[in-house]
């Protein structure tokens, strides 16, 4: 949902009546700022983790078009690895971006390369 979804006073009243009486409205600018701050923090932690990881990391991607006639399409890039201490398979979404046509292997490669560059 877009951040401005929570600007609706009716939604605020509904949350206060049914979920949390002490809920107070938070502006979309604050929501955006806080979400970006958390994303940057999580990304930096993941970069530090990968720097010390002594195993390989595999990347997968998924490309799709938005539903309902929207002209947009998206790509999601996910990192997969085995945690050496527990042998548990781990995965994290490292990118979710708009992705232009055509959905060719070359364009997918270039987008994944851009994502990798942001993790250096």
């Amino acid at each position: 949902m877009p951040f401005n979804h929570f600007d609706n006073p009716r939604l605020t009243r509904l949350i206060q009546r049914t979920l949390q009486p002490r809920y107070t409205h938070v502006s979309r600018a604050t929501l955006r700022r806080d979400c970006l701050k958390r994303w940057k923090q999580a990304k930096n932690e993941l970069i530090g983790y990968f720097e010390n990881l002594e195993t390989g990391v595999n990347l997968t991607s998924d490309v799709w078009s938005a539903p309902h006639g929207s002209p947009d399409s998206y790509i999601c890039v996910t990192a997969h690895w085995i945690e050496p201490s527990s042998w548990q398979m781990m995965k994290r979404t490292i990118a979710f971006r708009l992705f232009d046509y055509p959905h060719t292997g070359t364009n997918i490669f270039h987008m994944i390369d851009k994502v990798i560059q942001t993790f250096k």
Side-chain angles (χ1 to χ4, degrees), residues 7-61:
D7 287 343
N8 185 333
R10 290 174 48 201
L11 179 61
T12 298
R13 285 192 304 276
L14 175 70
I15 292 171
Q16 289 171 337
R17 280 194 315 259
T18 60
L19 299 173
Q20 177 51 266
R22 294 180 301 190
Y23 172 80
T24 58
H25 175 271
V26 178
S27 74
R28 66 177 168 242
T30 301
L31 286 172
R32 181 182 184 278
R33 184 193 66 232
D34 290 351
C35 286
L36 288 175
K37 181 179 174 182
R38 301 256 325 208
W39 162 246
K40 289 176 185 176
Q41 178 184 1
K43 182 179 174 182
N44 288 334
E45 288 173 10
L46 193 58
I47 288 170
Y49 179 81
F50 285 158
E51 287 174 347
N52 298 316
L53 189 63
E54 295 182 7
T55 186
V57 175
N58 297 300
L59 300 177
T60 59
S61 65

Side-chain angles (χ1 to χ4, degrees), residues 5 16 22 52 62 69 77-78 83 98 102:
H5 176 78
Q16 289 171 337
R22 294 180 301 190
N52 298 316
D62 189 15
V77 181
T78 305
E83 175 61 47
L98 281 169

